[in-house]
Amino acid sequence: MAKIRSTTVVGIYHNGEVCVGADGQATMDKHIAKSNVKKIRKLLDGKIVTGFAGSTADAFTLLERFEEKLNAYQSNMKRAAIELAKDWRKDQYLRKLEAMMVVANKEELLIISGTGDVLEPDNQIAAIGSGSMFAHAAALALKKHAPHLTAEEMVRESLNIAADICIYTNHNLIIEKPAK
């Protein structure tokens, strides 16, 4: 049975602003299964924005577990991410999940990897999914050569560039910022 996957998620912290966005394409094998999937979710009344890539069911399982950890650790995003990663490495069921997440609050940006790692990305750019390298390269160029743009503008343009190049990424974008 073919898995539903393929997406591009990018988060950027720039000039004191954080923004996370994703395209809307889900691919099953070599075919577009859906073009308007919502891969961005807000947690804790919008204070945390998450974007996910990988198997959809697995991503929702991780999202639920992450939300549980946020509640258990008084909304401390980094601590919740680390505790989720610990569980991910220990739990046989979680270890089989095929998903990754970008998580952001107004101050920081993290990648929670499919191997149970928590990464603070270099250059304050987090990108995951099949089009991530295209979006990441575009974001690096924008941060270097167009620093006057906002984080939201950089996320939008990075995703649009990825969609122009990557067959697993489309132009149906959802972009969100954490609430203050």
Side-chain angles (χ1 to χ4, degrees):
M1 186 160 169
K3 290 184 180 180
I4 297 176
R5 58 176 62 222
S6 301
T7 193
T8 304
V9 177
V10 65
I12 298 175
Y13 183 90
H14 181 68
N15 290 338
E17 178 186 46
V18 179
C19 194
V20 179
D23 76 310
Q25 185 165 305
T27 307
M28 186 181 295
D29 195 25
K30 297 177 187 146
H31 309 283
I32 297 169
K34 190 168 170 70
S35 63
N36 61 348
V37 178
K38 186 179 178 198
K39 302 168 193 168
I40 302 294
R41 296 285 190 272
K42 288 185 168 187
L43 305 174
L44 299 177
D45 297 320
K47 292 179 181 144
I48 294 181
V49 176
T50 66
F52 59 84
S55 170
T56 306
D58 291 354
F60 278 114
T61 299
L62 288 175
L63 192 62
E64 288 171 6
R65 295 284 183 111
F66 181 60
E67 193 165 24
E68 288 170 7
K69 295 296 182 186
L70 285 168
N71 291 328
Y73 293 100
Q74 295 78 42
S75 305
N76 182 326
M77 186 179 79
K78 190 180 285 185
R79 176 77 188 272
I82 290 167
E83 294 302 322
L84 175 63
K86 285 179 185 177
D87 286 355
W88 202 336
R89 288 175 182 243
K90 291 179 195 171
D91 187 291
Q92 284 184 324
Y93 172 72
L94 285 178
R95 262 188 271 153
K96 294 178 182 173
L97 297 180
E98 296 179 15
M100 295 179 73
M101 294 192 316
V102 170
V103 297
N105 60 22
K106 65 181 186 202
E107 298 157 350
E108 58 190 341
L109 184 63
L110 301 171
I111 296 172
I112 304 174
S113 79
T115 55
D117 293 314
V118 177
L119 307 169
E120 292 183 84
D122 291 338
N123 304 305
Q124 299 175 322
I125 299 168
I128 60 173
S130 49
S132 64
M133 292 302 107
F134 302 116
H136 191 262
L140 282 170
L142 290 168
K143 280 191 106 170
K144 183 175 182 179
H145 298 290
H148 61 281
L149 295 176
T150 65
E152 183 174 354
E153 291 167 325
M154 288 181 179
V155 166
R156 184 175 311 284
E157 191 58 26
S158 297
L159 287 167
N160 278 320
I161 289 168
D164 289 342
I165 300 167
C166 177
I167 63 170
Y168 297 110
T169 305
N170 70 16
H171 289 279
N172 294 337
L173 308 180
I174 294 177
I175 299 170
E176 298 282 359
K177 292 189 260 187
K180 302 256 179 207

